[in-house]
Amino acid sequence: MTPIEMVTITRGKPNTVRLKFHVGAGFHVNSNHPKSEFLIPTILKLSPPTDIMIGGVTYPPGEETSFAFASR
């Protein structure tokens, strides 16, 4: 895996921080808006220090995938 890029934030100015993560082989995560009410949405929860405000979280587009265990 490549090293994490350091991001410098200037106090009082907005900035974008891109987070990348890898889902291990044999695992999957659902979309943040799954198509079925029975699927658990993926939600990023952050606990920033009190002097940082999170303005919003955006997710990449989902990728349609089928699993053998779900085709019943």
Side-chain angles (χ1 to χ4, degrees):
M1 226 193 301
T2 58
I4 298 172
E5 178 184 336
M6 183 68 80
V7 176
T8 301
I9 306 294
T10 303
R11 183 182 299 270
K13 297 197 178 198
N15 203 330
T16 299
V17 176
R18 296 183 189 278
L19 303 177
K20 294 182 182 182
F21 66 93
H22 175 78
V23 178
F27 293 93
H28 73 277
V29 295
N30 295 321
S31 161
N32 62 313
H33 293 292
K35 292 184 177 183
S36 170
E37 64 183 281
F38 301 108
L39 298 176
I40 300 170
T42 296
I43 300 172
L44 176 65
K45 294 182 181 181
L46 301 170
S47 298
T50 57
D51 58 342
I52 295 176
M53 182 178 80
I54 304 299
V57 175
T58 57
Y59 295 86
E63 182 179 303
E64 192 72 31
T65 305
S66 298
F67 297 99
F69 62 81
S71 62
R72 296 180 184 186

